[in-house]
Amino acid sequence: MRLDKYLAETAQCTRSEAKTLLQKGKVTVNGTLCKKGDTQLRETDVVAVEGRPLAYQKFVYIMLNKPEGVVSASIDKRDTTVVDLLGDAYPRRELFPAGRLDKTSTGFVLLTDDGGFAHDILAPKRHVSKTYTVTLDTPLTAEMKAGFAAGVTLADGTALSPAEVEAMTPDGLTVRVLLKQGVYHQIKRMFGVYGAGVNALHRDAIGGLALDAALAPGQWRELSDAEVAEITG
Ligand code: URA
């Protein structure tokens, strides 16, 4: 890869900002000052800006706490998207949400530019679970529990695979749901089969990785390699 491209990607700057860094003599390759953007790098080369070595990240993985009213898309004409919430932190990356939450839902959205990983965690065959806290307008019943465990058939005839549901409060209005599928409006439609409405829906975890409680709605942070591995277990 060319040095200017590498700089832009790892230092998260534009190509012209990378050029300025080079011209100002702030960049070294293996400890030697380098001002030429078209220098071809080898895998083992160590690039540093002002003495700080850069680490090349092939892909980024971001955990975001989606607030209500924000849409799970990259761009939208009317609404703020989950990618808009990142501001201009990643000008060189084409990040997108791996899986969707409804506009009214909140919680863990994973953003990445790794298409293969996104495909893997969404593929039903991979069985990556998603865990939700759901507030119902009518208490959880034994019929719903048994139906979820057996696999709900939606109003349009779609037969879903088994899911888990358990009450989290004595009144049965707050429940935890665990799904291994991602059908459009799935949870709302599953409860709809039993005449129950969903008042609030929050995603707590994807696979084995829980949403960081320190992230307020709208906040986000990058995941470590170990955390990314926890998603797929
Ligand atoms: N199921 C829904 O109905 N909505 C969501 O946002 C996620 C799962």
Side-chain angles (χ1 to χ4, degrees):
M1 186 187 290
R2 281 172 58 122
L3 177 57
D4 49 5
K5 182 162 191 275
Y6 179 91
L7 271 176
E9 286 191 12
T10 50
Q12 287 303 313
C13 59
T14 61
R15 278 246 189 156
S16 71
E17 284 164 347
K19 214 168 144 192
T20 310
L21 288 174
L22 288 159
Q23 281 166 353
K24 288 192 174 164
K26 302 210 184 259
V27 180
T28 56
V29 177
N30 303 324
T32 306
L33 186 70
C34 184
K35 290 191 168 187
K36 289 207 296 263
D38 62 358
T39 304
Q40 285 294 333
L41 295 173
R42 290 162 303 172
E43 289 258 322
T44 50
D45 288 338
V46 176
V47 180
V49 175
E50 294 176 321
R52 274 179 296 109
L54 297 174
Y56 181 68
Q57 265 180 294
K58 192 159 185 210
F59 298 117
V60 291
Y61 306 89
I62 291 161
M63 169 191 278
L64 171 97
N65 185 359
K66 187 184 100 58
E68 214 182 320
V70 170
V71 294
S72 297
S74 301
I75 38 170
D76 193 271
K77 282 202 197 101
R78 268 180 315 170
D79 293 310
T80 303
T81 71
V82 286
V83 172
D84 291 337
L85 294 178
L86 303 177
D88 52 11
Y90 297 93
R92 311 280 309 165
R93 302 253 179 196
E94 293 195 4
L95 293 158
F96 59 90
R100 285 162 185 271
L101 281 179
D102 296 339
K103 187 173 166 181
T104 52
S105 301
T106 57
F108 190 171
V109 171
L110 179 76
L111 294 155
T112 186
D113 52 357
D114 183 348
F117 183 79
H119 178 266
D120 271 4
I121 64 162
L122 298 174
K125 266 193 270 163
R126 293 297 299 262
H127 301 304
V128 174
S129 63
K130 279 114 200 156
T131 314
Y132 302 85
T133 301
V134 182
T135 313
L136 299 172
D137 65 1
T138 178
L140 183 72
T141 61
E143 189 198 1
M144 294 179 201
K145 278 187 87 159
F148 273 46
V152 173
T153 301
L154 298 178
D156 67 357
T158 307
L160 299 174
S161 45
E164 291 170 29
V165 59
E166 58 173 343
M168 291 174 72
T169 51
D171 63 8
L173 290 173
T174 305
V175 300
R176 174 176 293 125
V177 175
L178 190 145
L179 297 182
K180 291 186 174 172
Q181 262 177 311
V183 171
Y184 184 62
H185 288 333
Q186 183 166 342
I187 294 177
K188 289 175 186 156
R189 291 163 75 196
M190 286 166 85
F191 282 110
V193 168
Y194 301 93
V198 167
N199 288 338
L201 197 153
H202 180 83
R203 182 149 71 198
D204 300 298
I206 302 179
L209 185 65
L211 178 64
D212 185 340
L215 293 176
Q219 290 187 330
W220 56 272
R221 67 166 176 82
E222 267 187 48
L223 296 177
S224 66
D225 291 348
E227 287 173 320
V228 173
E230 281 177 48
I231 291 178
T232 46

